[in-house]
Amino acid sequence: MAQWTSAVGPAQLARQLQAQQPRPAGPGARKPPAYRALADGIRLLVLEGRVPVAARLPAERELAVALTVSRTTVAAAYEALRAEGFLESRRGAGSWTAVPAGNPLPARGLEPLPPESLGSMIDLGCAALPAPEPWLTRGVQGALEELPPYAHTHGDYPAGLPALRQMLADRYTARGIPTMPEQIMVTTGAMGAIDAICHLFAGRGERIAVESPSYANILQLMREAGARLVPVAMAEGLAGWDLNRWRQVLRDAAPRLAYVVADFHNPTGALADEDQRRQLVDAARSAGTVLVVDETMSELYLEDGLEMPRPVCAFDPAGSTVLTVGSASKAFWAGMRIGWVRAAPDVIRSLVAARAYADLGTPVLEQLGVNWLMRTGGWEQAVTIRRSQARENRDALVAAVRDRLPEWEFDVPRGGLTLWVRTGGLSGSRLAEVGERVGVRVPSGPRFGVDGAFEGYVRLPFTVGGPVAEEAAARLAAAARLVESGAATGIEPPRAFVA
């Protein structure tokens, strides 16, 4: 019986390996043998979760042809990986990836660290802030007061609580987008919303166009659903979408869905202007592509006087092209797992019908909490706190990184929660690997791309400030020095850090 659960083709593995940047050689260091470089590259892909554990690797001959190296080189690399515990093999079953005993399984997304790990590790992997108190507590208390009538029902509301659907519809109407509650479905976070949309519109093997880079967890969700991702490069810096590229992809690839973040894009922080939004909707409509617009960052503008563009759905009055996804998780708190979809009523009915085979509905208490906050004005006050936290953290992190790592390049976004940083020629994958060993967790650029793109980047969220931001930058600088010198072994574990 085979021990592998998935397979990686030779062309795919070759693309991922060739996108990696070579380890910089320290002064007087020799270039590693070809087999060692290949083994290191595969090991990094496994540690990053970009090649799953228990994935069957190509046969030696197939990979040698794809990489244009000798079969001997591949055989030696596989043997080195077996000796290190990163590969297992059996005659007749092939070779598949593994992790050595005692190593944690690599995360394929950007899961937050468990609380017990936070004493010694600064976590820059998850773009989420602590709750904006006292509003979380007040929202929960308000929800408990309103719970009794719902406790006498079965508690399943596949479309969401009627009161919250009406509240969300009214908020869109107030933004100039007339909306009925029949156009709203409440979901378990934005991830739940996008998962439902993908299952309804894009079956296994369907093409989905995505920004390049894009949000890592959504990319992984779509991969798990069997989608064929078609990357569309973003414009440089914070300029937003490259409409010529979008038109070409929509015309040539004819994707069933396209997923975009118009407001403070994750990870770059770009804000699409109104003309870009109008043009993208027109292009998607002409191509017959359904446009999924992620609005989870839309309330996190951090500059006073910044005039926000109209929502993307404002340019689709018939509601036939744009599906809008929102969430409480970024603007309020990640632990408040409330998301929603705004779409045409017939699409909402289809999503609700399909939900019977998924999670049935979203927790009633959390829906009541969000509705209470929005109805009483607590939401706006909480989001104001959140903007202040994010602005202070952004400014502290920017200053610390510029001080400790002046060769790293980035544009400072006017909102959102993330910096997209070019690492001065260093491998983002190696920085992520070494960073964990010196006490800072940071996601590498390839997590946000397709097939190994963005090796020279990392994403830094505005989740820490003050002394913690300074310490995070110091640890990143230490990791960078170790990567530059090639001395990323034998590193002492970090001591607990208390701000």
Side-chain angles (χ1 to χ4, degrees):
M1 179 179 175
Q3 301 298 306
W4 48 272
T5 56
S6 62
V8 182
Q12 177 189 0
L13 184 56
R15 285 196 301 272
Q16 290 180 292
L17 288 166
Q18 288 164 350
Q20 291 180 334
Q21 293 170 308
R23 180 192 295 273
R30 295 180 179 179
K31 184 178 178 181
Y35 85 89
R36 184 68 261 173
L38 176 56
D40 285 349
I42 294 174
R43 178 175 57 84
L44 271 176
L45 292 175
V46 174
L47 288 172
E48 280 261 293
R50 289 185 283 130
V51 168
V53 175
R56 186 182 186 275
L57 295 186
E60 294 170 2
R61 189 185 304 276
E62 293 175 338
L63 186 56
V65 170
L67 291 172
T68 63
V69 300
S70 71
R71 182 177 177 181
T72 303
T73 296
V74 177
Y78 279 14
E79 182 58 37
L81 289 167
R82 277 189 287 270
E84 296 163 4
F86 286 94
L87 197 68
E88 296 180 9
S89 304
R90 196 175 72 228
R91 187 179 298 277
S95 299
W96 56 92
T97 56
V99 292
N103 280 40
L105 288 175
R108 302 201 68 196
L110 300 178
E111 295 83 356
L113 281 174
E116 62 268 19
S117 300
L118 294 177
S120 60
M121 185 74 69
I122 298 175
D123 186 9
L124 297 182
C126 186
L129 290 163
E133 289 287 29
W135 293 106
L136 173 62
T137 299
R138 292 182 184 177
V140 172
Q141 290 170 341
L144 286 171
E145 292 173 2
E146 298 178 4
L147 180 62
Y150 296 92
H152 295 292
T153 73
H154 49 63
D156 287 333
Y157 295 86
L161 291 185
L164 182 55
R165 296 176 74 197
Q166 182 69 61
M167 176 63 66
L168 292 168
D170 290 346
R171 288 174 66 87
Y172 277 106
T173 300
R175 294 168 68 189
I177 317 296
T179 303
M180 304 178 294
E182 292 80 9
Q183 292 177 262
I184 301 291
M185 180 176 84
V186 180
T187 62
T188 307
M191 293 285 289
I194 293 170
D195 183 57
I197 291 168
C198 288
H199 279 88
L200 180 63
F201 284 92
R204 186 165 293 275
E206 291 273 9
R207 294 185 181 93
I208 301 179
V210 295
E211 296 154 321
S212 183
S214 187
Y215 177 37
N217 284 343
I218 293 296
L219 295 181
Q220 190 58 38
L221 181 156
M222 292 173 175
R223 291 187 189 102
E224 298 285 350
R228 297 163 61 190
L229 301 183
V230 183
V232 186
M234 296 285 287
E236 286 296 315
L238 299 177
W241 299 320
D242 185 324
L243 270 302
N244 290 330
R245 286 173 171 158
W246 269 105
R247 291 190 192 93
Q248 181 179 355
V249 167
L250 293 173
R251 181 181 64 246
D252 296 346
R256 184 72 181 92
L257 288 179
Y259 168 75
V260 297
V261 184
D263 302 293
F264 310 118
H265 173 257
N266 187 351
T268 68
L271 176 65
D273 63 33
E274 287 208 1
D275 189 51
Q276 288 177 323
R277 296 169 190 233
R278 181 184 295 105
Q279 290 188 54
L280 186 58
V281 172
D282 290 344
R285 184 183 297 116
S286 297
T289 297
V290 175
L291 195 59
V292 182
V293 180
D294 185 333
E295 281 193 340
T296 54
M297 297 282 191
S298 64
E299 295 189 71
L300 292 177
Y301 50 87
L302 306 182
E303 301 295 339
D304 293 335
L306 176 61
E307 185 175 346
M308 289 294 291
R310 285 179 289 171
V312 177
C313 57
F315 304 100
D316 180 40
S320 59
T321 299
V322 176
L323 308 182
T324 303
V325 172
S327 171
S329 297
K330 298 299 184 185
F332 188 77
W333 184 48
M336 187 71 80
R337 304 305 305 158
I338 299 295
W340 53 87
V341 181
R342 181 200 180 275
D346 61 319
V347 173
I348 295 297
R349 286 193 294 270
S350 297
L351 288 169
V352 171
R355 194 173 194 180
Y357 308 101
D359 64 353
L360 293 178
T362 301
V364 169
L365 189 64
E366 293 183 28
Q367 293 188 71
L368 288 172
V370 170
N371 187 60
W372 185 92
L373 287 163
M374 290 181 172
R375 189 182 72 248
T376 62
W379 179 270
E380 282 70 25
Q381 294 185 58
V383 172
T384 298
I385 294 172
R386 171 65 78 239
R387 292 191 195 110
S388 177
Q389 290 174 322
R391 185 185 305 112
E392 291 176 4
N393 287 355
R394 179 197 63 182
D395 295 346
L397 188 63
V398 165
V401 173
R402 283 178 171 164
D403 178 51
R404 294 280 187 165
L405 294 151
E407 67 279 11
W408 286 18
E409 302 173 26
F410 53 86
D411 293 294
V412 181
R414 295 179 290 172
L417 289 172
T418 57
L419 283 180
W420 184 236
V421 181
R422 185 182 286 111
T423 57
L426 298 181
S427 163
S429 297
R430 291 188 169 90
L431 282 166
E433 179 194 12
V434 177
E436 293 241 6
R437 291 189 252 166
V438 299
V440 59
R441 182 174 183 253
V442 58
S444 69
R447 287 185 177 272
F448 303 88
V450 176
D451 283 343
F454 306 110
E455 184 61 60
Y457 290 80
V458 293
R459 188 194 74 171
L460 304 180
F462 319 144
T463 52
V464 296
V468 186
E470 294 173 9
E471 178 67 14
R475 294 185 185 187
L476 284 171
R481 288 193 296 271
L482 288 165
V483 171
E484 286 175 324
S485 69
T489 57
I491 301 168
E492 290 294 323
R495 294 175 294 174
F497 175 75
V498 180

